[in-house]
Amino acid sequence: MNKKTFAPSELIINEDGSIFHLHLTSQQIADKIMLVGDPGRVSLVASYFDEKEFEVESREFKTITGTYKGKRLTVLSTGIGCDNIDIVMNELDALANIDFETRTEKDEHRTLTLVRIGTCGGLQPNTPTGTYIASVKSIGFDGLLNFYAGRNEVCDLPLEEAFKAHMNWSPLLAAPYVIDANAELIDRIAANDMVHGITIACGGFFGPQGRELRIPLADPKQNEKVESFVYQGLHITNFEMESSALAGLSALLGHKAMTCCMVIANRLAKEVNANYKNSINGLIELVLDR
Ligand code: R1P
Ligand code: URA
């Protein structure tokens, strides 16, 4: 069988042999990867490591690889948004599964395990600030997965239809895509002490999350409808900005992924914890240990 070859314009490799944005080589990433949004959170996670093996920073993508309790682990910041997840996931997968010498797919598939630790806005009475939420399903408002073939094979199409009908979805918006987290990871990491829910990953912090500052919203009832949606007993629990692309691209590329977030703003109670940086350690420790 002819293997796919990737041209220099499609798979951009730096002069030092590292991948274009992340500035990493295949050997510098562990099979287990923790993703965070804020580059400042990378050092916080790595402060728990037994030892650091490697550190690099390029734009918003900061990476440290080391060991935690003897196990090799990489922590990497994605910055904000699903557009960045498109870069991070495609480049991580290229590092794992493409031979940079021949620019062809490797024979053996290397599976990465990716857990995102983020912050989010809570949407239900049982998600006050400080709650840990595991995204069992993510709804992408960002539209990213719609650009990839195979999207329908990995998405929850009945839920997509139910959600669009409930929301009276505007044709001006990208079609929402719904995608499950890796079930084995949810069981291992979020079994008992996290709220399980549906997360909406938005292509913005303000309008797409129903926050109105000076520009009125196209649909002032959006959040009311989001909060009242229930599907097979699951409610929409939170808004953040990356989980859908992470779960979707991982499913298409054959990796395992999940997202868990700490609530820093409850949209119903209109309360916020702007000092969350002092309190996210609990979630980091819990995920590291599991
Ligand atoms: C917005 O403030 C950012 O915070 C959340 C959102 O997903 C978005 O990236 O996650 P992080 O705290 O991981 O960045
Ligand atoms: N991150 C988000 O995307 N939204 C919030 O409300 C809080 C954190």
Side-chain angles (χ1 to χ4, degrees):
M1 197 177 76
N2 271 351
K3 280 194 194 172
K4 252 185 176 177
T5 301
F6 307 99
S9 59
E10 312 306 294
L11 171 65
I12 307 181
I13 301 174
N14 300 315
E15 272 181 12
D16 64 1
S18 65
I19 191 99
F20 189 45
H21 297 95
L22 302 184
H23 273 271
L24 292 164
T25 62
S26 177
Q27 295 74 26
Q28 288 166 338
I29 57 164
D31 290 337
K32 289 185 196 317
I33 301 178
M34 196 178 270
L35 300 174
V36 296
D38 181 357
R41 209 174 296 149
V42 171
S43 303
L44 179 62
V45 173
S47 69
Y48 292 93
F49 285 5
D50 318 324
E51 56 186 28
K52 289 184 209 166
E53 175 190 316
F54 171 81
E55 180 165 350
V56 73
E57 193 164 355
S58 163
R59 298 182 185 237
E60 56 267 69
F61 310 113
K62 176 170 175 169
T63 307
I64 299 180
T65 295
T67 53
Y68 176 75
K69 296 191 177 166
K71 291 193 177 143
R72 192 162 186 249
L73 197 72
T74 292
V75 53
L76 189 161
S77 60
T78 64
I80 290 180
C82 287
D83 46 351
N84 280 1
I85 298 292
D86 186 57
I87 289 174
V88 169
M89 279 310 301
N90 276 293
E91 292 199 357
L92 284 177
D93 179 72
L95 291 171
N97 291 306
I98 296 174
D99 181 330
F100 280 21
E101 294 293 320
T102 59
R103 293 182 165 276
T104 54
E105 225 171 300
K106 290 179 184 165
D107 293 330
E108 293 269 306
H109 179 80
R110 180 178 171 197
T111 303
L112 303 174
T113 300
L114 304 125
V115 179
R116 164 171 149 72
I117 298 184
T119 60
C120 67
L123 293 168
Q124 298 295 338
N126 69 334
T127 61
T129 58
T131 307
Y132 301 156
I133 301 179
S135 308
V136 174
K137 290 176 182 285
S138 290
I139 303 181
F141 276 13
D142 55 289
L144 180 80
L145 217 68
N146 301 330
F147 287 90
Y148 290 94
R151 167 248 192 262
N152 280 357
E153 279 84 273
V154 296
C155 284
D156 185 335
L157 304 181
L159 204 163
E160 285 178 9
E161 289 313 311
F163 181 71
K164 283 192 283 188
H166 177 84
M167 298 295 291
N168 193 17
W169 195 253
S170 162
L172 293 177
L173 303 176
Y177 60 93
V178 180
I179 186 99
D180 287 1
N182 180 271
E184 177 198 320
L185 279 178
I186 294 279
D187 278 353
R188 176 142 51 94
I189 292 176
N192 303 315
D193 44 12
M194 292 190 197
V195 170
H196 286 197
I198 305 173
T199 298
I200 296 182
C202 296
F205 187 80
F206 291 94
Q209 297 189 20
R211 275 192 177 90
E212 184 172 315
L213 296 187
R214 294 203 324 110
I215 313 171
L217 298 171
D219 180 1
K221 298 264 183 224
Q222 175 190 287
N223 281 13
E224 228 174 85
K225 288 185 274 179
V226 162
E227 284 152 16
S228 65
F229 181 74
V230 194
Y231 190 82
Q232 295 176 351
L234 277 180
H235 291 259
I236 297 178
T237 44
N238 58 326
F239 280 137
E240 50 83 82
M241 298 175 65
E242 293 83 13
S243 63
S244 56
L246 173 61
L249 292 177
S250 296
L252 289 176
L253 290 164
H255 302 298
K256 299 178 185 174
M258 72 164 278
T259 290
C260 47
C261 289
M262 186 177 80
V263 177
I264 63 158
N266 185 281
R267 304 295 303 286
L268 280 181
K270 306 213 180 299
E271 59 180 26
V272 70
N273 170 18
N275 283 325
Y276 72 89
K277 287 189 181 165
N278 302 324
S279 51
I280 201 161
N281 301 51
L283 181 56
I284 292 171
E285 287 168 23
L286 205 129
V287 173
L288 278 171
D289 275 332
R290 291 173 185 177

